[in-house]
């Protein structure tokens, strides 16, 4: 049966390959992969647990490889793209404006998302009182409590963005690695501009190297992006077939409340686009493939290469804005993981300590979440880390996160898609306000990923 399941999966891969060779639209390929994965995942649920688990170990190889390939290119893409953006603009002032507007959008939407999360939890009357604690949840709760006790201060997290060893930061290690790489890239770019004033020949030499490296990195990224339907087919199959449906049913009220808040925040993103005089439906069509991968992979950082390419090639955002804002969005102001989720946890915990939500405390909660959202890693477990930091900062017990461990994967899919959407909307807003936006490309329904590798 395991061999049969793997053969069915490989047949699906071959089917997607045939569609791709027939030049089927990228979005259609992604939707086909999602639909096929849902059906195949439900089919795998008909087998006993051991057979399904052993089948998924082989089926999951494709998805794991694809996610690793994307993560492999995150640091090179951030570094060379931001350096190129700075040195090709001939000035560091424009990047300063881009960074400022990026933070305004990212932190502003985080505050709105925290408000939405808190109000949604209150409207659903969510509370941690009366939730049964199993053995697994109790173990996780104790682990989180120990983690909260060993957690550094918020100011240490902010200082940690500046790496003591730049070469270590460039390996992508550590919770603040993405922001550290952004900082290093900005320093290198501004440094090259400075060298132009007294060693123009050396500066041009550096510029040529960086531009050539950027061309190579973008080409490799596009080769990987063209594998997206196959990665989604594998990842979504594993998610559907390996879901803890008993745990989901037990906490269904929290699941519904979470997705209600996520949906409301997506509507707010659409409203922001409308205020920017951009068609939200056009955004939905062009962001579909990127958000679908974010949904299935549950990693904002791993989605970054797709996010940047979608912004530049489909939506008309300049490379400098796309790379800087999207990179910052991986670790700053994540609407789903670092805003909605912690706010809902706070609302649920308050009754267990005999406290009620007041307007003053609600405001303190929103401000705390907005600040804490700086430096939250865009990888699996980031939401739990954000929740622990917010609860600890407000003097509340952190064990609630352990009670929700059974439904974490299901909710994390929607949260991650919202995180990525926030980065894209923030980039569009920043590009609008800094004059780095081509609306003709955004409005063009034929604007698509440029598959240069396939053409060659």
């Amino acid at each position: 049966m395991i061999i049969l399941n793997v053969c069915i999966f490989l047949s699906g891969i071959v089917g997607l390959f045939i569609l791709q060779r027939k030049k089927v639209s990228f979005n259609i390929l992604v939707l086909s992969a999602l639909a096929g994965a849902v059906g195949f995942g439900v089919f795998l649920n008909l087998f006993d647990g051991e057979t399904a688990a052993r089948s998924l170990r082989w089926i999951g190889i494709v998805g794991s490889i694809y996610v690793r390939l994307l993560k492999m290119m995150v640091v090179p893409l951030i570094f060379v793209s931001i350096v190129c953006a700075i040195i090709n603009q001939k000035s560091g002032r424009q990047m300063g404006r881009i960074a400022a507007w990026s933070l305004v959008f990212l932190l502003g939407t985080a505050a709105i998302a925290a408000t939405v999360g808190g109000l949604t939890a209150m409207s659903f009357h969510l509370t941690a009182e009366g939730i049964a604690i199993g053995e697994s949840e109790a173990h996780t709760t104790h682990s989180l409590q120990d983690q909260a006790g060993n957690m550094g201060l918020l100011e240490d997290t902010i200082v940690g963005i500046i790496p003591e060893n730049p070469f270590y930061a460039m390996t992508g290690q550590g919770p603040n690695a993405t922001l550290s790489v952004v900082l290093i890239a900005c320093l290198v770019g501004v440094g090259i501009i400075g060298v132009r004033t007294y060693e123009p020949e050396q500066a041009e030499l550096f510029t040529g190297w960086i531009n050539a490296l950027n061309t190579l990195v973008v080409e490799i990224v596009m080769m990987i992006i063209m594998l997206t339907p196959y990665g989604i087919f594998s990842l979504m199959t594993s998610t559907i077939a390996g879901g803890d449906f008993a745990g989901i049913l037990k906490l269904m009220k929290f699941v519904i409340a979470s997705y209600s808040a996520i949906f409301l925040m997506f509507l707010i993103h659409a409203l922001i686009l409308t205020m920017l005089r951009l068609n939200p439906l056009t955004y939905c069509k062009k962001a579909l493939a990127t958000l679908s991968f974010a949904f299935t992979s549950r990693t904002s950082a791993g989605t970054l290469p797709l996010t940047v390419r979608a912004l530049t090639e489909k939506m008309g955002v300049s490379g400098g804005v796309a790379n800087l804002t999207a990179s910052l969005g991986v670790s700053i102001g994540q609407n789903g993981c670092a805003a909605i989720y912690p706010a809902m946890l706070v609302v649920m915990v308050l009754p267990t300590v005999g406290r009620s939500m007041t307007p003053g405390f609600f405001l303190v909660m929103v401000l705390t979440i907005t600040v804490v959202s700086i430096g939250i890693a865009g990888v699996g477990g980031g939401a739990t880390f954000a929740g622990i930091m917010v609860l600890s900062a407000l003097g509340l017990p952190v064990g609630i996160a352990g009670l929700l461990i059974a439904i974490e994967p299901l909710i994390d899919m929607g949260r991650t898609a919202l995180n990525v959407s926030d980065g894209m909307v923030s980039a569009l807003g920043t590009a609008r306000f800094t004059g780095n936006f081509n609306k003709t490309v955004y409005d063009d329904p034929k604007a698509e990923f440029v598959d240069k590798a396939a053409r060659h």
Side-chain angles (χ1 to χ4, degrees), residues 359-402:
F361 186 82
F362 191 92
L363 178 60
V364 170
M365 178 192 74
V366 171
L367 293 175
T368 301
I369 289 174
T370 303
V371 175
V372 169
S373 69
I374 300 174
I376 300 299
V379 295
T384 300
F385 183 69
I388 294 174
M389 289 189 67
V390 171
L391 291 171
S392 299
L394 296 175
L396 299 173
V398 302
I400 179 65

Side-chain angles (χ1 to χ4, degrees), residues 24-324:
V24 173
S25 166
F26 193 77
N27 284 344
I28 298 298
L29 282 173
V30 169
L31 290 175
S32 300
L34 280 172
V38 171
F40 188 38
V42 172
F43 172 75
L44 289 177
N45 269 310
L46 300 177
F47 297 93
D48 62 90
E50 183 179 355
T51 300
R54 293 178 64 183
S55 300
L56 289 176
R57 282 205 292 268
W58 289 100
I59 292 170
I61 290 176
V62 174
S64 298
I65 290 175
Y66 179 68
V67 173
R68 282 177 172 264
L69 285 172
L70 282 174
K71 288 184 175 180
M72 175 184 73
M73 298 306 300
V74 167
V75 170
L77 179 64
I78 292 175
F79 180 76
V80 298
S81 298
I82 291 179
V83 173
C84 276
I86 294 176
I87 62 179
N88 291 331
Q89 288 186 11
K90 313 295 182 182
S91 171
R93 294 182 179 179
Q94 177 71 354
M95 292 304 293
R97 290 185 63 228
I98 292 172
W101 276 109
S102 298
L103 292 176
V104 168
F105 275 100
L106 291 171
L107 294 179
T109 52
I112 296 172
T115 303
V116 169
L119 293 176
T120 303
M122 292 167 63
S123 65
F124 274 82
H125 304 290
L126 295 181
T127 176
E129 293 180 314
I131 298 180
I133 302 178
E135 183 178 346
S136 175
E137 289 85 355
H139 176 74
T140 305
T141 297
H142 291 311
S143 175
L144 292 176
Q145 288 171 339
D146 293 338
Q147 186 176 352
N150 297 327
M151 189 176 295
L153 299 175
L154 177 60
E155 50 266 36
D156 295 332
T157 302
I158 297 175
V159 172
I161 295 174
I162 303 177
E164 293 182 346
N165 185 339
F167 298 101
Y168 177 75
M170 291 294 289
T171 64
Q173 303 298 312
N176 298 315
T178 302
L179 294 180
S180 297
V181 173
V182 171
L183 176 63
I184 295 170
C186 289
L187 291 175
V188 171
V190 174
I192 292 176
I193 291 176
V195 170
R196 284 197 182 118
T197 60
Y198 57 91
E199 289 285 354
E201 293 182 358
Q202 295 292 338
E204 290 307 310
L205 179 62
F206 290 142
T207 300
W209 287 348
I210 292 294
N211 283 327
L213 185 59
N214 181 60
T215 302
L216 177 61
V217 168
V218 169
E219 187 77 1
I220 295 173
V221 167
M222 285 309 306
M223 291 166 59
I224 298 172
I225 287 177
M226 290 303 141
L227 302 175
T228 299
Y230 311 104
I232 287 179
F233 184 50
S234 172
L235 292 166
M236 195 63 179
T237 298
S238 299
T239 299
I240 297 296
D244 183 2
F245 294 101
I248 292 171
L249 291 174
K250 184 171 63 175
L251 296 169
M252 181 56 71
K253 186 177 181 180
F254 182 79
V255 173
I256 295 174
S258 297
Y259 271 94
S260 297
I262 291 170
F263 178 72
L264 286 174
M265 201 58 210
F266 270 118
L267 291 180
I268 291 175
H269 285 178
L271 178 61
I272 293 173
L273 291 171
T274 302
M275 294 172 65
L276 294 170
R277 297 182 181 180
L278 299 176
N279 190 330
L281 294 179
T282 300
Y283 168 79
C284 291
K285 293 176 182 177
K286 298 196 172 188
L288 175 63
T290 303
L291 297 182
S292 297
F293 175 74
F295 184 83
T296 54
S297 67
R298 296 167 49 207
T299 167
S300 302
T303 311
L304 183 60
L306 279 81
T307 305
V308 172
R309 301 318 301 170
L311 286 168
T312 54
E313 296 187 4
K314 292 184 176 184
M315 302 185 189
V317 177
S318 71
V321 173
N323 283 280
L324 183 59

